[in-house]
Amino acid sequence: MASVRIREAKEGDCGDILRLIRELAEFEKLSDQVKISEEALRADGFGDNPFYHCLVAEILPAPGKLLGPCVVGYGIYYFIYSTWKGRTIYLEDVYVMPEYRGQGIGSKIIKKVAEVALDKGCSQFRLAVLDWNQRAMDLYKALGAQDLTEAEGWHFFCFQGEATRKLAGK
């Protein structure tokens, strides 16, 4: 098995991150919903006040190989606040290319986000998963996550586009 490194993303990784976001959307059968650009990823993640943080998983080349590291996975996270529990980290996406799954790369990304959560004083680490992605749900449960839909009955809602403008009176 090749050597894997999980590191903080750099601005120069935005092309790879966008490629992987598109792959994730294809996997989730939601390709038509990807509207983000490489420029937006740069502006939103690498400015003075980033809206998100990102980890990338790299496969490192074998000694003596001419190729550089290859980005094969990512995790995008950000901080939210719970009025009941305080500081919380939210993992928006975790994705590993299909040919690299089953090697523990996704678990390494998730564990690194947990380290960040503890370093930042977060009391919770939240994420969501589509109801048909049983493999991911099994992984999260194996790592110790609690399914809040089962346990507490939570449903997540989203206002987008026209609904947001109408709500804001604009």
Side-chain angles (χ1 to χ4, degrees):
M1 185 171 85
S3 181
V4 177
R5 173 175 58 192
I6 308 299
R7 63 167 174 81
E8 288 185 33
K10 297 179 254 186
E11 192 171 346
D13 293 317
C14 287
D16 283 323
I17 295 165
L18 182 57
R19 170 181 55 83
L20 294 171
I21 288 171
R22 288 180 175 142
E23 284 186 27
L24 172 61
E26 179 89 13
F27 172 74
E28 293 181 338
K29 301 167 185 67
L30 297 169
S31 302
D32 60 318
Q33 294 191 28
V34 178
K35 307 296 184 211
I36 196 81
S37 67
E38 192 173 328
E39 295 74 26
L41 285 171
R42 268 194 200 90
D44 294 343
F46 299 93
D48 291 336
N49 190 21
F51 277 84
Y52 73 88
H53 304 275
C54 185
L55 300 171
V56 293
E58 290 181 318
I59 298 294
L60 302 174
K65 295 284 183 181
L66 297 177
L67 298 174
C70 176
V71 175
V72 300
Y74 76 101
I76 286 185
Y77 66 92
Y78 45 85
F79 299 96
I80 58 175
Y81 199 79
S82 165
T83 54
W84 295 350
K85 308 274 179 151
R87 294 179 185 180
T88 302
I89 199 166
Y90 188 87
L91 181 58
E92 178 69 25
D93 288 350
V94 59
Y95 178 77
V96 175
M97 293 170 60
E99 58 268 37
Y100 295 97
R101 292 183 190 154
Q103 300 178 37
I105 297 171
S107 293
K108 287 180 181 180
I109 294 170
I110 292 167
K111 288 175 182 179
K112 186 67 174 172
V113 173
E115 288 176 26
V116 172
L118 292 177
D119 289 347
K120 297 291 186 179
C122 295
S123 62
Q124 296 182 90
F125 173 173
R126 290 182 172 246
L127 52 86
V129 62
L130 290 168
D131 61 359
W132 55 261
N133 194 345
Q134 193 61 50
R135 185 174 177 182
M137 286 188 270
D138 292 344
L139 172 63
Y140 305 150
K141 287 178 181 179
L143 292 172
Q146 179 184 29
D147 183 338
L148 293 180
T149 303
E150 287 178 2
E152 298 177 5
W154 288 98
H155 290 271
F156 291 90
F157 290 83
C158 179
F159 294 98
Q160 296 185 59
E162 185 57 31
T164 306
R165 286 187 286 282
K166 185 176 178 182
L167 190 61
K170 297 189 180 207

